[in-house]
Amino acid sequence: MKRPIKAALVFGATSAIATAYCRILASRGAVLHLVGRDHDALQNLAGDLDLRGATKVSVAVADLCDTEQHKKLVTEGWESLGEPDLALLAHATLGSQSEGETDWKQQRTLIQTNLISPLSLLTLLANRFEQQHSGCLAAISSVAGDRGRPSNYIYGATKAGLSCYLGGLQHRLAATGVRVLDLRLGPVDTPMTAGLSKGLLWSTPERVAHAMDGKLARHHGTVYLPAYWRPIMGVVRVLPDILVQRLGI
Amino acid sequence: MDRSTYGWGGVSTGTPAYTFAPTSVRDLKQIFSSGEHKSFLGRGLGRSYGDCALNTDGALIDCRFLNRLLSFDPETGILKCEAGVSILNVNRLLSTTGWMLPVVPGTQWVTIGGAIANDVHGKNHVQEGCFGAHLIALKLARSNGEVFDCSLESNNELFAATIGGLGLTGLILSAKLQLRRIQSLTMKARRIPFDQLSTLFSLADEHFEAWEYHSVWLDPATGCRKGHYIMANHSQRQGNLTWPAKRRIRFGVMAGFPSDLPGRLVMKTGNLWYRRGIRSGAQETTADAVLYPLDRLPDWNALFGKPGFFQHQSVLPTAVAESALDELLSVIETSGQRVLLAVGKWFGPRSSPGLMSFPVPGFSIALDLANHGTKTHKLLDTLDGVVADCGGKLYPAKDARMSPTLFTSGYPKLEQFTQQHDPLFASDFWRRMEQSG
């Protein structure tokens, strides 16, 4: 079923990818409810989206790691949007693989932000959408979750967990008319990856948001963004262990 | 893993100890207060040619994601936006309202913060002055965590120092700008070929009144003695206000190429095409073509591969401009090295509030030169000598090697500026100027 996205609830809205996607929606006159951590940044973003043509933009400030608040946040989202066509989860941190290997606290923070927080939100959102019998539930995951690799398995594990959960949710809700999307992104030039050197396969928030826009209106299931990551990860998944170790990827 | 950051010319490199991209003032304050970094520098889209936007071993603040428009009033044309918004985005988003930035540099891939920090100029400097002349106010974050609202009325010393201040007074967070009205994105342009430098200068005198945009293309094949004089005006008739989506050809892949040959070939072809293809006489064209001729090839610098290239942009004061230009060109001729691209502009008397603004009334010439090592450095030093002797100066945004002496002599308000300098902000350029200056 194809239904244009006119009302969207966005968690982690000030992240570069969510911002780029919100701008596409705003240019079509969408109604947006933005949830994020920083009040000033959210207000500025609301002003930006308003100028770009959004019909209405409302904001809610919250630390999304605090799962106690999730119920209230979801309720507020429905109150300000009516029946949203889309809920997008875009919050995550990258952490440091090398530091995390010897620092459990850092790993735990990463799991809290990238896995526990989105799973709590997905639980609430899935039930809401199920009652509504329509809508699209999408979360930004990563190709890092496709295979445990020495360069980023801590971050990868949180994303693998998220992707697995989304897969199950998609099948559970298949009959209800609710679409669930697992957006598996390759590396993107954003604040999260500011310290990394960028190679040929890197994308930009604008390009990814544009590709996402094409998928969110009608697809469901696992989507690789940009699309070239599907064949690449197809290969990476079946690489012999010895090669993964040798390449240190 | 290569984490070096490059200047646009590819000659200067500098690896920061830490790169950080804030999306809010809160992020920024956290970094300032962490006490882990010995210096800070903001960086936008990296179009400074040399080391102005490099901070080796310090913290580099990537401002590209502070890119939100805050407010715009279609009645007054006053825009408020964060400093990481690009000129491209302002053009794209606001042109349909009938407004555009009054002063733009030769590329749209420049952030508003970068345009302020280098107090950029355009082809219409004679009429409109610098970017800073249209800046109403700015918000500046200092490394001690304080945030200042600066304008001609409040914190005016900080305001003046930040305009053209090379990002050394703190991090520019947002700006309030006065845009100008346009009726359409169509422009009327006129190109007049000339075959000696004296004609070029008399052409300018003749046409200053009637035309807003003035630029000069000098033909490297003739030792830059001949070329085209290009003038343009905004069309006064109502017309298309939508910025065209043009196909762009990308060269990013070439960045690590061991030779600069592709770049030299492309420049040569460009010059040839320019020499042959252009008719004189008035014609209708687009703002895109007049203002940003090189933007069709967004990362053309990558064509110069590992060796990179230099740009020597000086301003030669009006009274001596013609003779000084003649001397610059003679120096190049005797050196046996070939200019890749030579472009000129005029600067008028309109002053900028910026203490460290580059333009002074006169003729500004930008000379692109391939990097042939010591030989090229020697030539550039000789060119510097000519510029210093005629009382001219160089543009830091384009520089990768000028001497502190030339910098000091070109910027008489340097001492006044230094008083406003944020003690924890620094760039490779600044450290180079401090060495023996």
Side-chain angles (χ1 to χ4, degrees):
Chain A
M1 188 175 66
K2 188 178 172 180
R3 197 173 136 182
I5 291 157
K6 290 193 175 135
L9 174 54
V10 183
F11 294 90
T14 55
S15 84
I17 296 166
T19 295
Y21 180 62
C22 286
R23 284 175 175 160
I24 296 178
L25 292 181
S27 68
R28 295 190 197 127
V31 183
L32 297 155
H33 184 76
L34 316 174
V35 187
R37 193 173 36 170
D38 189 274
H39 174 265
D40 294 346
L42 273 178
Q43 284 300 339
N44 288 357
L45 178 58
D48 180 274
L49 296 172
D50 190 49
L51 268 178
R52 288 170 196 256
T55 301
K56 196 189 114 196
V57 186
S58 47
V59 301
V61 182
D63 179 357
L64 290 174
C65 285
D66 179 5
T67 51
E68 298 292 313
Q69 288 190 56
H70 287 183
K71 198 163 189 181
K72 186 178 127 245
L73 290 171
V74 170
T75 311
E76 277 174 7
W78 254 261
E79 276 166 10
S80 69
L81 294 172
E83 290 200 339
D85 306 305
L86 167 75
L88 175 69
L89 307 189
H91 59 292
T93 56
L94 185 60
S96 156
Q97 172 68 27
S98 56
E99 287 168 29
E101 282 169 14
T102 52
D103 181 356
W104 166 246
K105 259 194 186 160
Q106 210 189 89
Q107 287 195 40
R108 200 171 53 191
T109 314
L110 203 67
I111 297 167
Q112 181 73 35
T113 316
N114 293 6
L115 190 61
I116 296 181
S117 164
L119 295 200
S120 155
L121 281 168
L122 284 172
T123 307
L124 296 162
L125 292 166
N127 296 336
R128 276 281 188 159
F129 275 123
E130 195 176 19
Q131 285 166 20
Q132 189 180 297
H133 290 288
S134 71
C136 172
L137 182 50
I140 295 181
S141 187
S142 165
V143 296
D146 278 27
R147 180 162 192 186
R149 288 175 289 129
S151 61
N152 64 356
Y153 65 83
I154 306 173
Y155 174 77
T158 64
K159 292 301 190 182
L162 176 62
S163 285
C164 179
Y165 195 94
L166 288 164
L169 209 54
Q170 181 214 331
H171 297 308
R172 180 189 130 197
L173 297 178
T176 64
V178 179
R179 291 177 297 120
V180 179
L181 278 99
D182 170 11
L183 306 171
R184 285 193 207 170
L185 269 58
V188 184
D189 182 6
T190 66
M192 189 177 88
T193 57
L196 307 180
S197 74
K198 317 283 188 281
L200 270 183
L201 291 171
W202 282 66
S203 193
T204 64
E206 289 72 27
R207 258 181 268 162
V208 166
H210 186 76
M212 232 163 89
D213 181 49
K215 298 294 179 188
L216 288 176
R218 55 176 187 276
H219 287 68
H220 60 85
T222 307
V223 169
Y224 282 85
L225 298 172
Y228 52 73
W229 283 101
R230 186 180 284 276
I232 294 174
M233 292 322 289
V235 173
V236 171
R237 270 196 306 270
V238 297
L239 277 184
D241 287 348
I242 187 81
L243 258 181
V244 175
Q245 287 154 25
R246 284 270 169 82
L247 294 171
I249 48 177
Chain B
M1 219 193 298
D2 179 17
R3 286 179 54 240
S4 299
T5 306
Y6 293 81
W8 184 248
V11 176
S12 316
T13 62
T15 309
Y18 184 68
T19 310
F20 160 74
T23 53
S24 68
V25 180
R26 199 173 73 157
D27 292 351
L28 197 61
K29 284 187 176 169
Q30 244 168 29
I31 287 295
F32 284 154
S33 63
S34 72
E36 286 168 19
H37 309 289
K38 54 180 184 188
S39 67
F40 300 98
L41 183 71
R43 180 178 165 99
L45 288 164
R47 256 59 180 185
S48 290
Y49 282 56
D51 48 4
C52 272
L54 301 180
N55 190 14
T56 305
D57 294 335
L60 197 60
I61 306 170
D62 177 348
C63 300
R64 290 174 303 151
F65 300 97
L66 285 170
N67 63 359
R68 293 162 287 225
L69 303 175
L70 303 176
S71 67
F72 176 67
D73 182 347
E75 297 298 312
T76 59
I78 292 175
L79 167 73
K80 266 176 148 176
C81 68
E82 292 183 334
V85 171
S86 67
I87 286 179
L88 177 94
N89 278 333
V90 174
N91 280 340
R92 285 273 161 86
L93 293 165
L94 299 181
S95 67
T96 48
T97 62
W99 295 91
M100 76 175 248
L101 288 163
V103 170
V104 289
T107 170
Q108 299 184 78
W109 279 283
V110 167
T111 62
I112 297 297
I116 296 170
N118 293 288
D119 200 10
V120 298
H121 55 267
K123 298 178 175 80
N124 57 351
H125 187 277
V126 173
Q127 218 170 83
E128 296 289 340
C130 279
F131 194 82
H134 307 272
L135 181 67
I136 302 166
L138 63 86
K139 215 183 251 282
L140 186 77
R142 302 275 283 189
S143 63
N144 61 7
E146 280 184 279
V147 173
F148 292 97
D149 283 305
C150 311
S151 66
L152 285 174
E153 287 79 38
S154 65
N155 298 310
N156 57 336
E157 285 175 328
L158 208 45
F159 184 68
T162 303
I163 299 172
L166 303 170
L168 298 166
T169 58
L171 195 88
I172 305 170
L173 293 170
S174 63
K176 187 175 173 189
L177 291 155
Q178 177 63 59
L179 306 193
R180 67 175 282 173
R181 270 226 182 269
I182 47 166
Q183 300 302 322
S184 84
L185 288 170
T186 308
M187 282 197 176
K188 195 163 262 174
R190 193 169 169 205
R191 297 153 205 265
I192 306 175
F194 58 88
D195 51 16
Q196 52 188 8
L197 292 183
S198 56
T199 325
L200 158 64
F201 284 87
S202 60
L203 275 173
D205 290 335
E206 212 176 299
H207 294 288
F208 270 148
E209 296 267 306
W211 297 84
E212 179 179 349
Y213 296 91
H214 300 259
S215 60
V216 180
W217 167 77
L218 296 168
D219 187 350
T222 64
C224 299
R225 304 284 168 168
K226 298 179 183 178
H228 292 282
Y229 189 100
I230 304 139
M231 298 163 277
N233 270 337
H234 285 281
S235 167
Q236 291 308 313
R237 271 181 304 168
Q238 290 198 346
N240 172 44
L241 281 168
T242 313
W243 215 265
K246 286 233 173 94
R247 274 192 86 86
R248 303 189 197 277
I249 310 162
R250 296 233 159 230
F251 300 108
V253 199
M254 308 284 297
F257 199 67
S259 159
D260 63 356
L261 187 68
R264 283 187 283 141
L265 285 176
V266 165
M267 284 292 179
K268 214 167 210 170
T269 320
N271 282 315
L272 191 76
W273 179 64
Y274 222 82
R275 180 159 59 238
R276 293 277 165 79
I278 279 141
R279 304 179 299 255
S280 67
Q283 50 179 310
E284 292 245 311
T285 178
T286 61
D288 214 20
V290 170
L291 302 175
Y292 317 109
L294 267 175
D295 277 4
R296 288 292 287 277
L297 315 173
D299 32 26
W300 59 270
N301 65 330
L303 290 168
F304 289 87
K306 278 222 171 88
F309 66 98
F310 291 100
Q311 186 176 100
H312 189 269
Q313 184 174 356
S314 56
V315 54
L316 314 166
T318 314
V320 292
E322 195 179 329
S323 59
L325 177 62
D326 183 62
E327 209 180 328
L328 283 178
L329 299 177
S330 305
V331 165
I332 297 172
E333 234 160 352
T334 27
S335 80
Q337 294 183 59
R338 188 62 100 67
V339 170
L340 299 164
L341 182 70
V343 181
K345 271 168 276 183
W346 269 273
F347 292 157
R350 187 162 169 181
S351 70
S352 162
L355 297 176
M356 299 285 285
S357 198
F358 166 60
V360 290
F363 184 72
S364 175
I365 176 85
L367 301 159
D368 286 16
L369 290 159
N371 179 13
H372 295 301
T374 329
K375 205 169 81 174
T376 313
H377 275 276
K378 265 196 191 135
L379 168 60
L380 289 163
D381 288 343
T382 325
L383 293 176
D384 281 4
V386 177
V387 173
D389 287 345
C390 79
K393 63 207 275 202
L394 288 196
Y395 192 13
K398 304 287 178 70
D399 179 67
R401 27 69 49 206
M402 81 162 110
S403 72
T405 325
L406 182 58
F407 180 61
T408 318
S409 74
Y411 294 83
K413 290 176 183 163
L414 191 57
E415 209 160 296
Q416 207 183 333
F417 166 75
T418 316
Q419 289 164 15
Q420 304 298 325
H421 178 202
D422 185 311
L424 283 181
F425 270 71
S427 63
D428 285 9
F429 175 82
W430 188 248
R431 280 186 285 267
R432 187 156 59 82
M433 290 305 112
E434 275 182 331
Q435 261 166 22
S436 51

